Amino acid sequence: MDIMQLGPWLFNPADFSISDATQRKELEPLLVKLLCCFAKDPGRIISRQELIDTIWQQSYVDDNAINRAISELRKALQHRLLSQSPIKTHHRKGYSLQLQAASSALDAAPINTETATAGAKTSKPVWYGIAASIAAAVAACVMYFMPQVSAPVTAADTGDDKNQAVTLTITNQQKVTWFKGIESRPLISPDKQFLAYGHSQADGSMRVLVRKLGIAAGNTLQEVALEHADKLYTVQTWQPQSRNLLLQVISKDGSDCKYQSADFSAYPQYQLTTVATCSGMIFGTAQLSADGQWLYRSKGNGGIYSSNALVAENIHTGAVQTLVAAPSAGFGVTLLALSADGSKLAYILMTESNKSEIFIYDPASREHHRIASLPKPMLLLGLEWSLDQQNLLVPGADAILQLSLADKPLKVWQLPQGITVGELSLLSANQAYISALSPGKATQGALQLIKISQPFTAEPQVSFLHNAAGSALALAISPTHSESYAFSANWTGGWQLWFSQNGENMQLTEFENNEQPVNNISWSGNGRYIAFVKQGNLYLYDMQLRQLINKREHHDIGHPVWLPDNSGLVMTRLDSDSQNLWQLDLISDNFNQLTFVAGSYPQFDDQGQLFYHRDGRFYRYVDGAKQDVELQSSEDGNFTAMWQLKNQQQYRFSMLGHIELIDRQSGEVKRTQVPYQLLGLYPDPHDDEQLYAAVFVTPELALELIQWQLDD
């Protein structure tokens, strides 16, 4: 086959490559054969059997091999100029190429070979590092446990018709980091001389890199790395009006946690000073005041995923003041950012309904002023002051919110197709270093399911359940067949519910492809129905009739669990601004409120007793109010504040790979550790010596420098 133009790509089968004006990608021979097959007739639906006959030429090919090849080719063909997936899945029919083709090399658009070669060179890492991001994993987990999954920002999300939407035109975009793993949280120093960012690695290590900006042409790029073999370094914020960088440093075993300040006034030399101690990882940041006297930080009240308060700690005396109490549900205070002069503290508060509210705190007057409230649940990972200190910038995946402190209508800067901004730091009024880190980006190919055999022995055996390209997340094992389970996977361009039996996988649903996962899977005790949540909507899959039932589509449901008699479900429901437990009767479709205080993550034990979680604590249900019995609170900040029941056993896990088992009768505690960051834990109901878990595997994510202009 001759060189062919396929949409934005120039496809050259002879040298196994696709390229555009800025980059060249080499393809594996199998992917070249697959693309040649599609390119002969773009748009035509090609069945799986035809692919087997043409590409593999074998009598039998495992479904996973086909899924993996399609997924890898789809990923390779992704391009910022494409508005749809390059390969479309046609349910039970096959696949089709969605790229327009030119007939020959003579019709193909010209390519700048020199530019493409340079692009290929810059895509190689400066030096090798394997990595996994706890920050990204936390973001992924937050998305997983929220009753409604966060979505990109749109003009409608501001909740006010008077708010303005403008288009952000990108005039320059360039990659600025090249390590393997995730490079995230770019932070420009107050004097605009240094860039600090986090680099996380797949072996569980994390470090912080600090780069001097404005390197003269011809000089070697210099970066200082803060790292240690037994510690995790995460970047927090720059201290206003200084070159002091605040870090959180946690030992890999979770036993030691500190906030430290790194003074880079004599760069590349630096001086480390311990500012305060901490209790473990939280979803939130910290900020040191301009005078160095106060540490503002998020303080968790019961492990990861519990609510955070905003506190101010006096560095000299150790006294701690609570500025904003942790809500009874939601994630509480997350991101913090002091203005350039240090006079105002901006913060994001996620309330019980998981809606994001943005506040300004004045340390001098001790007053809090709400700047904006977003009307639906949305996970935000970035918060930045404008250079004139008159506005806040909040990146939201495909748009940036500009929030005025003068109570003017806020603006939505809509980003061009294909550009994602989860975090940003301003270099000038129209330039910023950005990270594409967002819940969707954090989970693209980064979530996998594992099986842990003999978990609490000296050498637990860990194996991946699937080898398909893409992500797999939640899992529920059949209560009636030990070799069957349902799971969530993004193997075909979007998240679907899958079924596995005796090693054979079958796709059960055909949702529109998007980044919103299928999660919170629960299997009825009689084995007939599988309940799950997607975008806060409740679905049932009837295994007997092979039928999908849309049970509730109001974007307000999370954590469904079946009643012991299979007559209905108990679940978390967002109602107005509260998050409570409700019971749904499947026959009448009637909802009945069970708790009148915040409740989430319900479950039943083997005696049919209902339990739930609230405010980092574990409760036995009695009346949904004052008579409910508190059983446990989370005392280790590294563990999730959620327990999973199985018979008389109780499990919980940490992001560091720790798993804890408590025997509820004897009180015996067992612990083990796996070499992965854990996102979810699923005990096998049929085998006490087997666990399943969702883990985070590092995707590739680099920092970029962008420049823009606003089209009013």
Side-chain angles (χ1 to χ4, degrees):
M1 180 179 286
D2 293 332
I3 297 175
M4 176 178 288
Q5 190 76 36
L6 297 174
W9 296 110
L10 194 66
F11 176 38
N12 186 351
D15 72 351
F16 300 88
S17 72
I18 57 174
S19 55
D20 65 4
T22 62
Q23 61 181 318
R24 177 181 178 275
K25 296 182 181 181
E26 290 189 8
L27 302 179
E28 296 293 330
L30 175 62
L31 299 189
V32 172
K33 291 181 181 180
L34 193 59
L35 186 52
C36 285
C37 182
F38 282 121
K40 290 178 181 178
D41 193 1
R44 182 173 74 88
I45 299 176
I46 301 177
S47 68
R48 293 171 74 91
Q49 187 58 51
E50 183 177 344
L51 291 176
I52 292 173
D53 296 339
T54 305
I55 307 302
W56 283 270
Q57 299 178 354
Q58 298 173 195
S59 59
Y60 171 77
V61 177
D62 182 60
D63 283 345
N64 285 341
I66 301 174
N67 293 337
R68 182 170 59 251
I70 292 291
S71 179
E72 289 177 353
L73 182 58
R74 181 184 279 122
K75 182 178 180 180
L77 293 174
Q78 287 177 349
H79 195 282
R80 61 184 178 83
L81 298 179
L82 295 178
S83 59
Q84 61 179 341
S85 175
I87 297 178
K88 183 177 181 180
T89 300
H90 302 267
H91 186 49
R92 296 183 180 177
K93 296 179 180 179
Y95 308 91
S96 64
L97 184 66
Q98 300 295 298
L99 302 179
Q100 295 297 320
S103 59
S104 69
L106 296 177
D107 300 319
I111 182 169
N112 186 328
T113 306
E114 182 178 353
T115 304
T117 304
K121 289 180 179 179
T122 58
S123 67
K124 296 179 181 179
V126 177
W127 64 84
Y128 182 79
I130 53 176
S133 170
I134 288 182
V138 169
C141 282
V142 168
M143 179 179 67
Y144 174 67
F145 283 108
M146 284 177 66
Q148 177 177 343
V149 177
S150 60
V153 174
T154 65
D157 294 331
T158 62
D160 191 338
D161 294 337
K162 297 179 181 180
N163 296 324
Q164 305 171 12
V166 297
T167 301
L168 198 69
T169 299
I170 303 299
T171 59
N172 183 35
Q173 180 182 8
Q174 55 182 301
K175 183 178 174 182
V176 297
T177 55
W178 302 273
F179 297 115
K180 293 286 186 180
I182 292 180
E183 294 144 335
S184 61
R185 193 156 177 76
L187 294 173
I188 303 294
S189 61
D191 60 5
K192 309 301 180 187
Q193 296 298 305
F194 300 97
L195 168 67
Y197 62 95
H199 175 221
S200 27
Q201 310 182 76
D203 61 356
S205 60
M206 293 185 66
R207 62 179 182 170
V208 171
L209 296 167
V210 181
R211 173 189 304 180
K212 184 173 177 59
L213 299 177
I215 300 296
N219 289 352
T220 303
L221 177 66
Q222 183 179 24
E223 292 188 323
V224 172
L226 295 96
E227 57 187 331
H228 191 281
D230 299 321
K231 297 178 181 179
L232 305 172
Y233 284 78
T234 59
V235 61
Q236 300 291 302
T237 47
W238 288 96
Q239 184 180 354
Q241 302 175 341
S242 79
R243 291 184 173 180
N244 294 335
L245 180 66
L246 187 64
L247 313 166
Q248 188 181 43
V249 184
I250 305 175
S251 61
K252 283 189 176 181
D253 63 5
S255 62
D256 184 52
C257 179
K258 294 184 178 70
Y259 286 107
Q260 293 188 319
S261 178
D263 183 354
F264 282 98
S265 57
Y267 186 91
Q269 286 76 34
Y270 62 90
Q271 184 71 38
L272 271 178
T273 303
T274 297
V275 173
T277 59
C278 41
S279 59
M281 291 182 297
I282 57 172
F283 181 64
T285 56
Q287 174 78 68
L288 199 59
S289 64
D291 60 10
Q293 182 174 343
W294 294 95
L295 177 68
Y296 301 103
R297 59 185 174 91
S298 302
K299 183 179 184 298
N301 63 359
I304 304 171
Y305 314 129
S306 64
S307 297
N308 295 331
L310 172 61
V311 301
E313 181 173 351
N314 188 299
I315 301 304
H316 303 299
T317 67
V320 177
Q321 300 177 8
T322 299
L323 304 181
V324 178
S328 57
F331 293 100
V333 176
T334 55
L335 302 179
L336 311 175
L338 276 169
S339 58
D341 61 5
S343 64
K344 299 291 188 297
L345 178 69
Y347 62 90
I348 294 177
L349 171 68
M350 295 185 72
T351 58
E352 183 173 319
S353 61
N354 281 325
K355 295 176 182 177
S356 294
E357 298 184 331
I358 296 92
F359 286 82
I360 297 293
Y361 171 69
D362 185 339
S365 65
R366 299 188 178 183
E367 293 180 346
H368 300 260
H369 176 56
R370 188 171 68 177
I371 300 300
S373 178
L374 302 183
K376 70 178 185 180
M378 184 176 300
L379 177 61
L380 300 172
L381 302 180
L383 180 64
E384 174 80 353
W385 285 84
S386 63
L387 297 185
D388 61 8
Q389 302 185 65
Q390 298 304 306
N391 300 281
L392 292 172
L393 300 180
V394 181
D398 68 345
I400 299 172
L401 296 181
Q402 179 187 349
L403 312 175
S404 172
L405 274 63
D407 294 327
K408 296 178 182 178
L410 60 85
K411 291 185 178 181
V412 177
W413 297 355
Q414 198 65 49
L415 293 164
Q417 181 76 26
I419 294 181
T420 300
V421 178
E423 304 167 313
L424 68 82
S425 187
L426 289 175
L427 182 61
S428 66
N430 66 337
Q431 286 181 305
Y433 285 91
I434 66 167
S435 164
L437 181 65
S438 65
K441 288 288 184 181
T443 59
Q444 287 182 4
L447 307 180
Q448 300 296 334
L449 293 169
I450 63 172
K451 179 169 69 174
I452 310 169
S453 300
Q454 306 289 318
F456 297 101
T457 60
E459 297 183 0
Q461 302 299 309
V462 180
S463 60
F464 283 86
L465 284 187
H466 314 110
N467 60 359
S471 281
L473 179 57
L475 177 144
I477 300 165
S478 168
T480 57
H481 297 90
S482 61
E483 298 302 319
S484 300
Y485 58 88
F487 64 100
S488 166
N490 184 353
W491 289 348
T492 58
W495 286 93
Q496 307 293 339
L497 181 69
W498 289 72
F499 171 64
S500 179
Q501 186 171 31
N502 299 319
E504 297 293 326
N505 300 320
M506 179 175 66
Q507 183 177 326
L508 299 182
T509 60
E510 189 69 27
F511 290 110
E512 179 182 353
N513 289 344
N514 57 44
E515 295 180 350
Q516 312 303 324
V518 169
N519 57 23
N520 302 149
I521 303 172
S522 179
W523 208 315
S524 63
N526 58 14
R528 176 165 181 177
Y529 294 101
I530 302 171
F532 64 92
V533 173
K534 182 175 172 66
Q535 292 182 274
N537 299 321
L538 176 65
Y539 297 89
L540 303 182
Y541 189 85
D542 189 330
M543 293 296 292
Q544 180 176 315
L545 300 178
R546 300 292 181 184
Q547 180 181 1
L548 181 67
I549 303 169
N550 300 357
K551 201 61 181 174
R552 182 175 176 83
E553 294 188 288
H554 293 281
H555 306 287
D556 62 349
I557 297 299
H559 320 134
V561 61
W562 286 93
L563 291 167
D565 63 2
N566 304 309
S567 65
L569 295 142
V570 174
M571 65 201 72
T572 304
R573 181 184 174 197
L574 295 178
D575 182 35
S576 185
D577 288 330
S578 63
Q579 182 181 150
N580 305 109
L581 295 187
W582 292 69
Q583 181 173 320
L584 172 65
D585 182 85
L586 291 186
I587 304 301
S588 65
D589 277 343
N590 289 333
F591 265 102
N592 177 40
Q593 187 170 349
L594 296 181
T595 62
F596 301 90
V597 290
S600 64
Y601 206 68
Q603 54 191 293
F604 290 93
D605 67 5
D606 57 332
Q607 304 299 317
Q609 174 67 54
L610 176 62
F611 299 82
Y612 68 97
H613 296 78
R614 180 176 84 235
D615 197 24
R617 295 172 172 84
F618 193 44
Y619 286 84
R620 184 176 73 242
Y621 178 84
V622 179
D623 67 345
K626 292 184 178 180
Q627 295 187 46
D628 290 354
V629 179
E630 179 184 333
L631 299 177
Q632 277 181 299
S633 61
S634 181
E635 298 177 354
D636 189 330
N638 294 302
F639 278 84
T640 58
M642 298 180 184
W643 286 266
Q644 180 71 44
L645 297 179
K646 177 192 170 185
N647 300 326
Q648 294 301 313
Q649 297 174 322
Q650 182 173 307
Y651 297 86
R652 65 173 180 164
F653 64 91
S654 82
M655 291 290 296
L656 299 175
H658 296 103
I659 301 173
E660 182 180 84
L661 168 63
I662 302 175
D663 189 301
R664 296 170 62 199
Q665 290 183 322
S666 67
E668 180 186 5
V669 178
K670 296 180 180 179
R671 282 194 178 186
T672 189
Q673 186 172 13
V674 296
Y676 298 100
Q677 296 172 27
L678 297 175
L679 307 184
L681 192 66
Y682 315 102
D684 189 330
H686 308 286
D687 188 347
D688 289 339
E689 296 300 321
Q690 192 160 274
L691 297 172
Y692 294 87
V695 300
F696 186 80
V697 181
T698 309
E700 299 297 314
L701 197 61
L703 299 183
E704 294 181 334
L705 174 65
I706 62 170
Q707 185 171 346
W708 66 83
Q709 64 183 26
L710 291 173
D711 299 332
D712 294 318

